[in-house]
Amino acid sequence: MSSLVKEDLQKKLFKPLSQNLYEFIEIEFSVQDRYYLCVSVTKNEEVKIVMVKHYRIGLDEKYEVTKKWSLNDLRMIDGKEADTDNPFFDLHFKKVYSLEAYSCASKYAFVRTVNKLNHAYLKKDLRIVNFDSTYLNDDSIWSSNNKDCLVLMRICFYAFNLVCLSLCPLPL
């Protein structure tokens, strides 16, 4: 489902603006409408963070840009609490925007993409606080585009090790 939305966003909103959509997440912003937080790159290699409102008129899907920022203006991303599973985070520009992602996994996916694009295009010192660095860095053995699958794989790996250790005879 999300790949269809991403394809639709790219075709109807970002391609006409000469931008390439890298990542989007659904955010809880309004009870009545759907909102997405998107990260895109322009032809001039400028990274943009865009809040998009999604609505329907009849059978047609419509997207409207409600807020737009440059990654260059982003001072910090605050994940609120690194050791709890919560979808809340703050984007610090000149003003602080408190947002709620659809899930904790999507929050991390968004921040990983912003961090990766920052390293690729800006190389500025972007402060990312209150996130578990294990799941943010691409050099981590557990990071990949598979995101949630790798977390599950890690849990299974630990469980398998526990089972193996419990079956080993203890020397007396």
Side-chain angles (χ1 to χ4, degrees):
M1 179 69 176
S2 67
S3 60
L4 294 174
V5 174
K6 184 175 182 180
E7 189 177 300
D8 202 36
L9 274 166
Q10 176 66 37
K11 184 174 81 176
K12 292 181 179 176
L13 186 65
F14 289 97
K15 191 172 183 177
L17 297 172
S18 300
Q19 295 181 18
N20 189 17
L21 177 63
Y22 275 81
E23 182 70 65
F24 83 100
I25 62 169
E26 187 172 346
I27 57 173
E28 304 289 329
F29 194 72
S30 167
V31 178
Q32 298 164 330
D33 299 308
R34 274 193 169 159
Y35 282 84
Y36 302 114
L37 194 60
C38 307
V39 184
S40 64
V41 177
T42 67
K43 281 190 176 182
N44 299 332
E45 297 187 345
E46 187 177 355
V47 181
K48 298 287 186 183
I49 298 173
V50 182
M51 187 183 296
V52 176
K53 178 181 177 182
H54 176 210
Y55 57 95
R56 284 193 178 104
I57 297 178
L59 295 176
D60 198 24
E61 306 284 333
K62 297 287 185 183
Y63 302 99
E64 176 187 331
V65 174
T66 59
K67 294 193 185 310
K68 186 189 295 188
W69 307 278
S70 173
L71 180 58
N72 203 23
D73 297 330
L74 182 61
R75 297 177 182 153
M76 180 174 74
I77 304 175
D78 183 357
K80 303 283 190 173
E81 298 174 37
D83 53 350
T84 60
D85 189 20
N86 74 57
F88 302 101
F89 64 105
D90 291 340
L91 296 178
H92 292 251
F93 293 97
K94 287 181 182 177
K95 180 181 171 188
V96 177
Y97 295 89
S98 294
L99 301 169
E100 180 184 356
Y102 185 73
S103 68
C104 188
S106 65
K107 172 177 85 170
Y108 273 87
F110 176 78
V111 175
R112 270 193 300 270
T113 302
V114 168
N115 196 28
K116 187 187 313 180
L117 292 175
N118 176 50
H119 288 301
Y121 293 101
L122 289 177
K123 296 174 181 56
K124 79 173 199 167
D125 185 26
L126 178 62
R127 290 185 53 215
I128 300 175
V129 297
N130 295 320
F131 283 92
D132 187 344
S133 61
T134 306
Y135 302 111
L136 281 183
N137 299 326
D138 279 337
D139 58 353
S140 168
I141 190 171
W142 302 108
S143 67
S144 171
N145 290 335
N146 295 336
K147 296 165 186 112
D148 293 334
C149 294
L150 288 172
V151 173
L152 183 60
M153 184 177 77
R154 187 176 188 184
I155 292 168
C156 291
F157 176 74
Y158 286 134
F160 179 75
N161 283 341
L162 288 172
V163 169
C164 287
L165 288 172
S166 68
L167 296 175
C168 292
L170 292 174
L172 297 173

